[in-house]
Structures are given as C-alpha cells and as structure tokens.
Amino acid sequence: MEISVDNWEEWNSFRVMLGPSSAVGVNLVINKQAPDEDICERWLGEPIAHVVLYSQAFLINQNGYPVLSKSNQVFVKGLLRRKAAVIIGKSVNLEQHRAYMCFLFRNMQPLSYKER
C-alpha cells in the first residue's frame, strides 16, 4: 500500500480493519518536509517496506546539491534503521539524489545493541 506521510490516520484505519498481518507493508511517500515529530514517531512503529522520496522532499544546499532538511534526515535515517528501502521518485537530478542518499546511509551511526 502506498500512502503519503501525512496520512497516518488513513493507514491506521486500514490496519485496524485488516487486523494483525505481517504480509502487509507500506510504501511511504515523502514529497515535502517531514510532518511533526509525533507523526514521524507513529510511522517509525509501522511496517514500512519502502520510503519514496520525491524531489520536493529535498532542499538545495549552498553548493547547488540536493539535501534533506534536518527533520527529513532524522526521519529517513529512522526508516533506514528499520530496513526500509529507498525509492527516489521522478527527478531530473537522479544521480545527485542517489549520491546524497548513499552519503547519508554511509554516515549513519552503527546500530546500538538495543537496536539490533
């Protein structure tokens, strides 16, 4: 199921209707800045299979390269720690977006003992 990051309530209604199932996961779409911290925390507890990042989720830094805002960085790193795969949506700068995501992944702190 693909759902926007802003629609946690919609996902929760679907999940409650469905009941417990390990066969269902979410493709979470981020096409702007991350929602507030409470919503992000809710999503981090859900079975997110993929995070889809559209170019609108990125900012352009002072050197002209795409980067995620601090709030999106924290959120996406949390999703990566939970083994979500990243899909970069339509982009004219696909290689730059890919290179940035590789940089972000390489520079993540190792998992703590509790996180493993």
Side-chain angles (χ1 to χ4, degrees), residues 25-28 43-44 46-51 75 79 82-85:
V26 177
N27 290 340
L28 188 63
W43 278 119
L44 291 175
E46 301 298 337
I48 297 175
H50 303 93
V51 57
F75 186 46
L79 295 171
R82 287 159 180 82
K83 304 207 185 311

Side-chain angles (χ1 to χ4, degrees), residues 43-102:
W43 278 119
L44 291 175
E46 301 298 337
I48 297 175
H50 303 93
V51 57
V52 183
L53 292 168
Y54 285 103
S55 58
Q56 297 91 333
F58 292 85
L59 305 172
I60 302 300
N61 71 9
Q62 61 194 14
N63 296 321
Y65 292 103
V67 296
L68 293 174
S69 67
K70 293 293 180 191
S71 59
N72 270 351
Q73 279 184 36
V74 169
F75 186 46
V76 169
K77 284 180 179 180
L79 295 171
L80 290 172
R81 287 184 174 288
R82 287 159 180 82
K83 304 207 185 311
V86 174
I87 298 171
I88 299 173
K90 294 178 185 174
S91 169
V92 294
N93 297 320
L94 182 60
E95 181 54 32
Q96 288 181 349
H97 287 109
R98 186 200 66 76
Y100 174 74
M101 291 309 302
C102 289

